[in-house]
Amino acid sequence: VQFLASVLPPGTDPAFFEHLRALDCSEVTVRALPEGSLAFPGVPLLQVSGPLLVVQLLETPLLCLVSYASLVATNAARLRLIAGPEKRLLEMGLRRAQGPDGGLTASTYSYLGGFDSSSNVLAGQLRGVPVAGTLAHSFVTSFSGSEVPPDPMLAPAAGEGPGVDLAAKAQVWLEHVCAHLGLGVQEPHPGERAAFVAYALAFPRAFQGLLDSYSMRRSGLPNFLAVALALGELGYRAVGVRLDSGDLLQQAQEIRKVFRAAAAQFQVPWLESVPIAVSNNIDEEALARLAQEGSEVNVIGIGTSAVTCPQQPSLGCVYKLVAVGGQPRMKLTEDPEKQTLPGSKAAFRLLGSDGSLLMDVLQLAEEPAPQAGQELRVWPPGAQEPCTVRPAQVEPLLRLCFQQGQLCEPLPSLAESRALVQLSLSQLSPEHRRLQSPAQYQVVLSERLQALVNSLRAGASP
Amino acid sequence: VQFLASVLPPGTDPAFFEHLRALDCSEVTVRALPEGSLAFPGVPLLQVSGPLLVVQLLETPLLCLVSYASLVATNAARLRLIAGPEKRLLEMGLRRAQGPDGGLTASTYSYLGGFDSSSNVLAGQLRGVPVAGTLAHSFVTSFSGSEVPPDPMLAPAAGEGPGVDLAAKAQVWLEHVCAHLGLGVQEPHPGERAAFVAYALAFPRAFQGLLDSYSMRRSGLPNFLAVALALGELGYRAVGVRLDSGDLLQQAQEIRKVFRAAAAQFQVPWLESVPIAVSNNIDEEALARLAQEGSEVNVIGIGTSAVTCPQQPSLGCVYKLVAVGGQPRMKLTEDPEKQTLPGSKAAFRLLGSDGSLLMDVLQLAEEPAPQAGQELRVWPPGAQEPCTVRPAQVEPLLRLCFQQGQLCEPLPSLAESRALVQLSLSQLSPEHRRLQSPAQYQVVLSERLQALVNSLRAGASP
């Protein structure tokens, strides 16, 4: 307030600043779609009512908090639809976010939209998002191979028997692996192998290899196999490999083939199914390729595309005045798209007898709710005539969630909202769900709402 | 650390967590390009040295803080180049940012890159960005016209003489204006006029009109003129109008024509030059049109395009290990673009005798700096042979800015960094500065750095 007083024109009434200091949200009421709901254009995400000045001040904060979160969740849900249910999707976009705050929102809502985990540790701590990650190229390239591990001895997984020198054991395995792969034993980079050994000594039950710091075929893969087989002898199983460059699908196929051959050759069946993770600027198109039938990729790390939503980097949510003192208001502007629907409204989702979504209907708040099994006359957008629909089920969409300065019910957990996303998507018909040229889901108006729009448009006084 | 311990594999050495707790940046040294510098691909923005584990932990935070800020500043500089020096550029993208934090960065770095002001009040308070704004549609549409202002009396600007009823005065002017424009006096929306009167009563020295809540031509413009002329009679001058829909350029031309005609008709010369502000999803293409010769637009508000940089929503900064214990490191990967330049480096900008930028040169930190007037042999990227250059001036690019836990020199003010952007851009040749198919500015390697790259590439031990 003090800052505002310093930038507003001199002579601004001091009582205004006193008024600002006294404001709070105790008279604000918020109705909202539950977190994780499917929202279609025209249906309010939030309905805010309260003293005019207070709810006007809430415009930018609410848009700022809702728009990006909804964009990221929608984008994540698209990526999940493309990936299919089996692939593990890892969000790793913090470095491309608009600061730590943007990164936290991106991680939270990517998970809500259908990702499995995030590399953002703070999102794990603050929001309960499962955290996951691999190792960094800088970790691998920081080793030259001349390092001596502080303690190269590793005890067997079962905890019994003497420890063995893992570095020495990996060196022995390297010879077998190179012979099997037809490589010279000098070809794999010794620094990369030293990095893998160090990682395996620290995390013997979570060993993974990053294969492309030097050459995947001639260095990363044989070094990984040498260390994984050495660990395997002690009863530990490697948990994965990662690729971060080149043709990811093609290399994954190649790596899986090598895993299968080596599993047979060295009689370690578990090696066949070591998960292959990939990353490197993966967008929707690249993801579709990685998710295709027969792909050997198991885990897909997505950073930039998850966080910046490059196909549509912003969601154009708006916050519009629809009623003052119970009187409906409508913005009649030069752009038909910028016109608003007047009045305080209720929203319902109509479902068919098979549970599929038929359409959403907007009506005035004071109208009775549509009844299951009863015929309803509604106006599709731009229609010249109403049409009729007989829903088998009717679901109210907006819930009272904030009143008199208090939450009205406990917020759902992130996992509950995440489950709601997938459940809701499953109710959507394939034509509406497909990502290329989807059929438009209808949001229709009740007859009374349509009549109000018509009367305000006709220029009757608002 | 406690949370990390809860998610890392059981059996992780407890000493590791103790080690993490004891970490700080007291042994970290940072060199950087000064804020607001021109940075070309390949030249380090930051050089970070210190204990390996600490500088590895800094990777994501530094990328997160640097990438988006640099992206926004670059984007803003592009928008300023398109707009030319005269148009006022207002950043208003908070609602499209990745949360309040992202919005603060967007406002700060839009200003640094060449915008004049921001609608983000917090950026004004915390970062000293000049704040500006107009009025909201919801403010205008909240009035029906039946409201009674708490006090409609306004004293003259000079402070002498009796106050007058501004609402009544505006009503009188409305008749003159409508007659002049050939409109019926009932056509302009009474609620819009009441909103303008209320705004003018609150801010008589900063009155502006938002013209498109109903119809610009039949309502917004005549209502604005009525209130502005009423205020003008009392010695106050309106400060602007804003348009937020429709063909902005065309409407601005029309409005200016009306302002000129009304200025002549009513003998109020100041009305001719009332600034016209526009907004509404303005991107680079729309901006170019609004900035063309003869445009009557004065102020351009840009939100989404400033904040989300839709042409390229992320800047692919990377943080790479280049040396360990004085030994150079290089990532040799399947993607040539992902290869790194090894070793600790220095960077210099070579200028011609006319002060224009010739090229940037990267060399090993231990090499002597290039000397003005002396011939230098350098390797352009991908060249088969070196070329020679004789710079008239040589500027070191990286400055020591953080050492032993302390800043080494005071940070420049935002205004200083903003001035550096414009100064640096003015030194760039038009071929390099143009936004469509610019000539590529060369970043070359010294002979010794090129030799090191060659030797590491040849597979000599790293």
Side-chain angles (χ1 to χ4, degrees), chain B residues 3-14:
Chain B
F3 175 73
L4 267 184
S6 76
V7 291
L8 282 178
T12 303
D13 190 342

Side-chain angles (χ1 to χ4, degrees), chain A residues 91-132:
Chain A
E91 178 275 316
M92 40 189 277
L94 176 53
R95 60 188 58 192
R96 299 287 172 253
Q98 294 178 9
D101 199 34
L104 191 60
T105 304
S107 300
T108 306
Y109 287 88
S110 293
Y111 178 66
L112 183 145
F115 274 54
D116 295 289
S117 53
S118 169
S119 64
N120 185 337
V121 176
L122 194 64
Q125 186 184 3
L126 299 184
R127 306 287 175 86
V129 176
V131 293

Side-chain angles (χ1 to χ4, degrees), chain A residues 6 46 49 85 174-175 181 215 225 240 298 300 331 371 417 428:
Chain A
S6 77
L46 293 178
S49 59
L174 185 72
E175 295 188 21
L181 296 177
S215 160
L225 288 171
N298 306 98
I300 301 168
K331 182 182 166 199
Q371 297 298 311
S417 301
L428 198 57

Side-chain angles (χ1 to χ4, degrees), chain A residues 185-258:
Chain A
V185 76
Q186 299 306 322
E187 290 189 71
H189 197 290
E192 186 182 52
R193 192 163 54 258
F196 289 176
V197 167
Y199 194 94
L201 286 169
F203 301 119
R205 293 175 204 278
F207 172 61
Q208 49 188 330
L210 173 60
L211 303 190
D212 63 346
S213 299
Y214 303 102
S215 160
M216 183 278 282
R217 292 174 191 84
R218 291 179 294 113
S219 184
L221 186 55
N223 277 331
F224 170 77
L225 288 171
V227 178
L229 289 163
L231 273 178
E233 243 191 283
L234 292 164
Y236 300 101
R237 293 185 182 180
V239 301
V241 294
R242 178 164 75 106
L243 286 168
D244 188 42
S245 56
D247 184 330
L248 302 170
L249 179 70
Q250 209 266 315
Q251 292 177 91
Q253 308 304 93
E254 224 176 289
I255 290 168
R256 184 68 67 211
K257 204 179 284 179
V258 170

Side-chain angles (χ1 to χ4, degrees), chain B residues 327-372:
Chain B
Q327 296 301 305
R329 288 285 186 281
M330 183 173 179
K331 183 181 165 199
L332 289 161
T333 170
E334 318 277 328
D335 289 353
E337 284 205 351
K338 286 196 148 192
Q339 289 188 359
T340 55
L341 287 171
S344 181
K345 289 174 289 287
F348 298 90
R349 186 152 288 167
L350 309 186
L351 294 92
S353 52
D354 58 351
S356 65
L357 308 191
L358 298 178
M359 61 181 69
D360 290 359
V361 56
L362 294 173
Q363 56 182 46
L364 295 174
E366 65 264 29
E367 290 186 69
Q371 297 298 310

Side-chain angles (χ1 to χ4, degrees), chain A residues 398-409:
Chain A
L398 295 160
R399 296 169 73 122
L400 181 66
C401 53
F402 184 87
Q403 204 168 29
Q404 299 183 324
Q406 302 289 332
L407 279 178
C408 299
E409 52 185 352

